[in-house]
Amino acid sequence: MTRLDRIAEPWGARTPYAAGDAWPVRVDSYLENGLTEDDVERWVPSASILHSNGDGMDIAVKDGRIVGVRGRAEDRVNHGRLGPKDLFGWQANNSPDRLTRPLVRRAGKLVESDWDTAMDLIVAKTRELLDEQGPSGIGFYTSGQLFLEEYFTLALIAHGGIGTHHLDGNTRLCTATAAAALKESFASDGQPGSYTDVDTADVICLYGHNVAETQSVLWSRMLDRLAGTDPPAVVCVDPRRTQVARAATVHLAPKPGTNVALMNGLLHEIIGSGWIDRAYLDAHVVGFEELEQRVADYPPEKVAAICDVPATQIREAARRIGTAERLLSTVLQGFYQSHQATAAAVQVNNVHLVRGMLGRPGCGILQMNGQPTAENTRECGADGDMAGFRNWSNDAHVGELAQLWNVDRMQIPHDTPPTHAMQIFRNVEEGSIRMLWVTATNPVVSLPEIARIRSILAQERLFLVVQDLFLTETAQLADVVLPGATWGEKTGTFTNADRTVHLSEKAVEPPGDARPDLDILLDYARRMNLRDKDGRPLVRWTDAEGAFEGWKECSRGRPCDYSGMSYAKLRERNGIQWPCTADRPDGTERLYADGQFFAASDHCESYGRDLLTGAPFEESEYRALNPEGKALVKAAGWQEPHEVPSGDFPFWLITGRTLYQFHTRTKTGRAPQLQAAAPDVWVELSSADAERLGLDEGDLLEVTTPRGSVRARLRISGIRDGVAFLPFHYGYWDDGAAGPDGDGRAANELTLTDWDPVSKQPIFKTAAAAVRRLEKAGGAVAPAPTTTGSAPVDGTVPPTTGGPAAEAEHEIRAGGRR
């Protein structure tokens, strides 16, 4: 049993190890109400569902209820360890406010109903719109938290049955740039690296990746290497002084919106110093000459002026990266949700390509995901991609998928690019999409500029279906609400950020009349009488294992090949990395070990895009650039962000995550330990900014942008001067509301409607903001100076003291619920 307070010590006890050694096992567990393992009736295999790490675990069951979890010692991902969200988040399954019956809107109010009534309403509206408008009137917006089998079934229904372009997921907010960057560099999605690269790397670079809070078990692995006899150097790029930054050998804290300039500066030094693998470049890469010319314009002094980072730090970081023998790089939201997201993430790939560091132990790239099954949305085509990493611009690929699904190729919409999430909501706003089916996500809190999103989803002309566990802010606006089953209540597979596939078994029954998402989709397809071209049911499976077998055939021969897996094999050895084939029955630890890529023009997933405009390249252009199917080095110049601080809004606003919450807290906010650790929104400012404005720890501030305002208690931290940070998790469901009644507390009241031209991922980390004090800590009203005028960004931000335990305790005291 876990004996440490895992809120106060979220990464647990250290188990140091040296490069090349196996990461030691440490089994974490938590059981409710003082139960012991002897009290548990059954342990059911699964993996974590509240982050993208994919920690293997077993679910404890007693009296038909989930009563705890235990890490699985033999799992390749976590070696028995669990993070705080793993240990405590399962309690949301037992929450008394779970949805247990369908709801339908009658006379303006949601009332309980039954499945036949709810599904008949959905089917009737679907048929009405197909008759009146065709498939373009119907859209689907899904999640990063379903199972592979559910995404594949949804993609088949939406693309092969309904024939709509309008299918995307909330993974557009967190993982779209990961996929886009991999496609630009390797012509196909697929993580090159493996978590085991942590075990041997001598330099680990984390670009906008606060791994300590987003993937706490992976950070435990890194901490154990750092505690060993030959610790790796760590390079951290983050404007905040996070736990990762505190442990870093070099911490670069660039001004928001300048990641491309910073990366060009690092590449300038790496190439100029000769730290490149010329033989690898000549044999396996195209485009190096253009990159060399581009980064020649970014010497450290110029980059220092753009990024407000000392040139000496840029040179030191480049030296560490350029002289590494085994380099591991990870990337996440600090790049993905920022200005020029794909261009910046591609430069990380460029570092590895020019250094020839791919496909070997310790030499990997992990363009990380933000959600547990984000990888599966991309593989299965539930995010607008084509199933099996096929290429929408390749007619042969469309025909191949049509043959697999046994539909006419013209039934699969491919005349125009698939509709990304931000455009889907714009189409709803303009009235061309009149039915939207939202599954397992809460866009009224998670999308940017949510006052606009609320008004879009509240339109009377829109028929809104929401499928979820709880009556979220989004569900409160729906015409029909369908109660779904969640992790532990259904069976399916999901794939983590290093391509590890786990099977999650059903442990308990869902509450009341709630149903697995797969069952809901199968019922919809049956009621819609969706048929293939021979008149047989379009969806030919009836359970999760049947859907997995269908997916295996869809993936066969593609980069994400699952054809060598089965439920039986995953039950025998849970945690297998794709591709897994007859030739590679145990899976594949690293991609591109032989310098061969999925980049041939007849095989690749994408012909690429212009990194600055997002314009797609034609097949002929791609063939001319890359006739031999090599990896691609792509250059990009830095451009100024669209919204920058000004006299009225002098701060940069960035949003992000906290260790103890996940997305919009629909699960973690119902786990007592997690909610107590981070109960309400806060705003971080630097000590210099707080002193300049006469602000004290715990003061109630109003943060304002041109789009709205939020009230939050002040936390003084090691963030860089001139930047304000808000966690994005906090909405209004626990107040029983879809939106603010007066004071706002959702960070996305403030963010702007803008997105990356390549990945179409929204920008959450470059907005202009103002702050002012409303109330002194303790309740006394004491107006402070406003922030009109330029916020200084020179000088070094002093480090904060205390770890997450101190921060969590502090937040409960100073930033508790109003």
Side-chain angles (χ1 to χ4, degrees), residues 538-551:
L538 176 68
V539 184
R540 294 189 290 273
W541 45 84
T542 58
D543 61 10
E545 188 168 6
F548 186 78
E549 290 298 312
W551 163 248

Side-chain angles (χ1 to χ4, degrees), residues 560-572:
C560 51
D561 195 328
Y562 284 61
S563 61
M565 296 187 207
S566 65
Y567 271 28
K569 189 169 188 174
L570 287 167
R571 286 181 174 124
E572 178 183 325

Side-chain angles (χ1 to χ4, degrees), residues 156-168:
L156 171 56
I157 289 170
H159 287 150
I162 302 298
T164 181
H165 289 84
H166 309 319
L167 168 62
D168 203 357

Side-chain angles (χ1 to χ4, degrees), residues 193-205 225 324-329 352 357-365 589-590:
S194 170
Y195 288 168
T196 55
D197 290 330
V198 173
D199 302 343
T200 52
D202 64 333
V203 176
I204 300 175
C205 295
R225 272 297 317 277
E325 296 182 4
R326 295 172 303 280
L327 174 67
L328 171 63
S329 296
H352 282 259
M357 291 208 170
L358 284 174
R360 295 183 279 124
C363 301
I365 304 165
E589 189 166 24
R590 295 174 186 86

Side-chain angles (χ1 to χ4, degrees), residues 61 129 192 200 242 318 410 429 549 593 725:
V61 179
L129 289 173
T200 52
T242 61
M410 297 308 295
E429 184 176 34
E549 290 298 312
F725 168 84

Side-chain angles (χ1 to χ4, degrees), residues 749-760:
E749 303 282 2
L750 308 178
T751 48
L752 71 163
T753 300
D754 193 7
W755 55 83
D756 180 69
V758 180
S759 68
K760 316 303 182 187

